[in-house]
Amino acid sequence: MASKMNRANPLLANLPHFLTWRPLGFRTICMGRLGFATQSQLDPDPPTPVAGTKVLDIAQEEFEIGSRLITLETGKIARFANGAVILGMDETKVLSTVAAAKGDAVRDFLPLTVDYQEKQYAQGVIPNTFMRREGAPKERELLCGRLIDRPIRPLFPSGFYHEVQVMASVLSSDGKQDPDVMAANATSAALMLSDIPWGGPIGMIRIGRISGKFIINPTMDELSLSDLNLVYACTKDKTLMIDVQAREISEKDLDAGLRLAHPEAVKYLEPQIRLAAKAGKCKKEYKLSMISDRTLEKVRNLAEAPIESVFTDPSYGKFERGEALEKITQDVKRALEEEFDEESLKVLPKAVDTVRKKVVRRRIINEGFRVDGRRLDEVRPLYCEAGSLPILHGSSIFSRGDTQVLCTVTLGAPGDAQRLESIVGPPTKRFMLHYSFPPFSINEVGKRVGLNRREVGHGTLAEKALLAVLPPEDDFPYTVRVNSEVMASDGSTSMATVCGGSMALMDAGIPLREHVAGISVGLVSEVDLSTGTIKDYRILTDILGLEDHLGDMDFKIAGTRKGITSIQLDIKPAGIPLDIICECLEPALKGRLQILDRMDQEIKVPRTQDDRNSPRLATLKFSNDAIRRLIGPLGVLKRKIEEETGARISVSDGSLTIVAKNHAVMEKVLEKVDFIVGREIEIGGIYKGIVSSVKEYGAFVEFNGGQQGLLHISELSHEPVSRVSDVVSVGQQLSLMCIGQDVRGNIKLSLKATLPRPGSDTNNVVEESVPPVKEEPNIWASVGEVSDEQEKQSSLSEDYKMREVNPSTSVPPVLIRSAAECDEEEKAAASSQNAKSTTSPGGAPKPSRSDCGVFPVKNIKKSKRVLQKDGEKESISILRSEDGDADKEDEFEASISVKNLKIGTKLIAKVYQIRARGLVLDLGGGLRAMYRFEINEKRDFVVGEEIRVECSSFSSKGIPVVSLVDDQ
């Protein structure tokens, strides 16, 4: 302790040792002044020191903010750091330390580094990595580091270019509080205790809002219910930083939140000042790299006139203007070299930049003209293009002036969600926006390495802006990744990413509530040097990169027509009054509405896409045993399906989620899943199977997830077959129709039922065979597969519901009567049969599919002919539409058979085949009918479509001929 005092004040080295004893009350305070502590500050009865025991000089402050007790503590740990503070709130504690490099600084910028780290020990967890230790900084850690950096950087004195490092780490976390704001306040206190010159302290506060009521220092549970996440940092009377994520909060409500946040954040300042008075160090005198007035005046005389001529010419582009300014710098350099002015040459770039800054700012304030000739509230020319890369799920190009971004959207399975390892917050993230800033966007050469703090920060800002308008996960189960590539940069690329990302999401068919746009607002002010107050200022809408560099503020605001979704405010001076900040919200709204109007002209509702590129997502319900069969040992079968089809399969308890690139891939995956796991066995259903053994009387076929069926020799072909081995062989794959069961319980299969009858116009129209009925799951698809009428009936903001097919069961091993044997009893059994459920041979539940579409497709009830239990009769029900007119359905037959089909009978048929001169219709119960096209009649029928018909006659072969009902 004595050595510290000696360094703080050399005079103490000459004092007698006994005068430095703490029992005498002699101590040092900040700024090196000597004094005696009062009796109340001394221990009334100090304990006798024990040999070998270290006595720590601990200073602590306690205060309350928002009904929460907060503590600031120093001197207990990290005592060698230039400044170290532990901030605690409930059971969460954060340590922040600061240190400054020794020696003179030979540079022209402040090398401030802020490192924030969350180690897993803080929540009692061992890292789940190969080395069982934390690796490179995660995205959240980079974002928290930026949150600390942004408010403290403007408060370092001008010309202070010594290297400073801030290290903040979470010591313990109870999961209730987000440690990021705590780390920022601890950093401010540590800087106050250090000898580093700094214009603090600062206070940072988080504000939430639930049911219209603002909440100070909300917990993580409260934030999940809040429609506002506002982080606000300030000094006593000026704003330093704002960061907002909201769900379309209005400008008026945001203004009220900011007005509340400022006095609450100021409450952090006084405890830090008191702590610094107790344990703070004297501020060290560092050498500042300032430009002398003589040098600045000389450079101004040489460069001011040519610089002003460049900035008064709006015809210059970004690079043309840069080349002209570089030429001016070289001319000034040659003039200084002729004068051998080495001092001025060392600071020439900084001096020219200072002159340039004064020229631009003076012209904006005095004349109201900007660098490119625009008015102060004018937005640059806009260009929007959606669907620029049609093979992708979604894409767009957005340009504002010379700034241009290319955004793409990729949809994935729920299992593709990003896994987070943060000590607070959700464990996964299903919406990701990745922002990339390649060097060519500013015509530079650079190297791409790892995560970049700037790229992560800009991408997260755009991600928060778009997250507010995404549909809920229950209605839209996809994982979504937006990738933003900056093609050209001249200011506000993050806000261009918001605009381009919104259009790309709609191009992908994602049902956004509405478009989101972003704009950046700047500020140029004139300050009274004697008082430090702002005398005059101008607000700039849609700032250029040069205006960002030479101005005072970069205020990024994104939102919809209804309200704001995200904000990021960064400033360069040591604070801006809150009134000016709130005044910027109005011009930002006007500029945002202009951009939204232009985006709506390009794409206003989710895009309709063709079947080729539309992704598909299906959710299948299975028993856990069936899922284990599908996955296979160590996931071998699952990986094999993914490799063969290119689809992604996610498995959870009782459900299987499949994401495919298009409809064809989805069908391929479902076919493989059906073969491994099995599906409902239906009479008339067609299944693919493999011949497992060949007998004299037929062949046994393995199909539908390992079930066995008998393909009798009589069902091999329409022609007589002498030997089974002449038609099929072991290992051969066949498409077979289920036609019933024999007396031994074997499932009866037929190959000839799938083959056309020789010499017949129709495909196997026989009474004893039943047409195949293929299940058509409702799958998450694109809008393009919905008819215009359905699209009008569907609300674009709601009604994206997942539909489930009621689970049924498979084939029971009991005797089944054929249709011919049941003709007499069919009519009596029809009414009771429809209310009974079916069961499978093994009693296992049938897998039910819950498949979804971006826009819902009409759900059709399908009463299919299924194998029944013993004693139950076979009945055929007519396909009915859920939204059909009940009054009209009453006049149509509810069941039909060969006996009761008569001329004049009205019924609902299903298109089975489309031919050149007519249709082959499925009437149910194994009956097929013909419909002949009339001249100039529409022929845009679809296989599987239901139509209302009336039996008009019978052909010479007994095939019914029908006509369309007029009220179709």
Side-chain angles (χ1 to χ4, degrees), residues 739-754:
I739 59 175
Q741 284 182 315
D742 60 17
V743 293
R744 297 179 180 84
N746 295 319
I747 300 174
K748 295 169 62 177
L749 303 175
S750 174
L751 178 61
K752 70 178 183 180
T754 64

Side-chain angles (χ1 to χ4, degrees), residues 146-152 154-155 181 184-185 188 198 201-207 230-244 258 261-266 268-269 569-571 574-578 581:
R146 281 173 54 88
L147 198 71
I148 300 170
D149 182 295
R150 287 157 51 196
I152 68 174
L155 297 181
V181 171
N185 288 298
S188 174
W198 187 65
I202 69 166
M204 184 180 290
I205 197 76
R206 173 174 271 112
I207 301 292
L230 165 64
V231 178
Y232 180 86
C234 65
T235 58
K236 185 177 181 180
D237 55 356
K238 292 184 179 181
T239 301
L240 288 169
M241 190 272 297
I242 298 174
D243 196 277
V244 173
L258 294 174
H262 187 90
E264 294 296 330
V266 168
Y268 279 97
L269 305 185
L569 169 65
D570 295 319
I571 65 171
I576 295 175
L578 182 57
I581 300 295

Side-chain angles (χ1 to χ4, degrees), residues 106-108 161 288-297 299 329 332 336 341-355:
V106 184
R107 54 179 67 89
D108 61 350
Y161 297 146
L288 303 181
S289 301
M290 304 295 292
I291 304 174
S292 65
D293 294 338
R294 185 188 67 84
T295 298
L296 189 60
E297 182 66 21
V299 173
T329 303
V332 175
L336 295 176
D341 190 348
E342 296 295 334
E343 179 185 352
S344 299
L345 287 173
K346 290 180 181 179
V347 294
L348 177 61
K350 193 75 175 177
V352 172
D353 186 68
T354 302
V355 173

Side-chain angles (χ1 to χ4, degrees), residues 103-114:
D104 295 335
V106 184
R107 54 179 67 89
D108 61 350
F109 65 95
L110 173 63
L112 172 64
T113 303
V114 179

Side-chain angles (χ1 to χ4, degrees), residues 452-465:
N452 181 283
R453 288 176 180 263
R454 180 181 178 277
E455 291 181 338
V456 171
H458 282 32
T460 302
L461 174 63
E463 179 179 295
K464 292 190 294 186

Side-chain angles (χ1 to χ4, degrees), residues 815-840:
L815 175 63
I816 301 299
R817 303 182 182 181
S818 65
E821 294 171 339
C822 297
D823 281 343
E824 297 295 334
E825 301 174 359
E826 185 174 1
K827 190 172 182 179
S831 59
S832 62
Q833 179 60 36
N834 292 334
K836 295 185 179 181
S837 61
T838 59
T839 57
S840 63

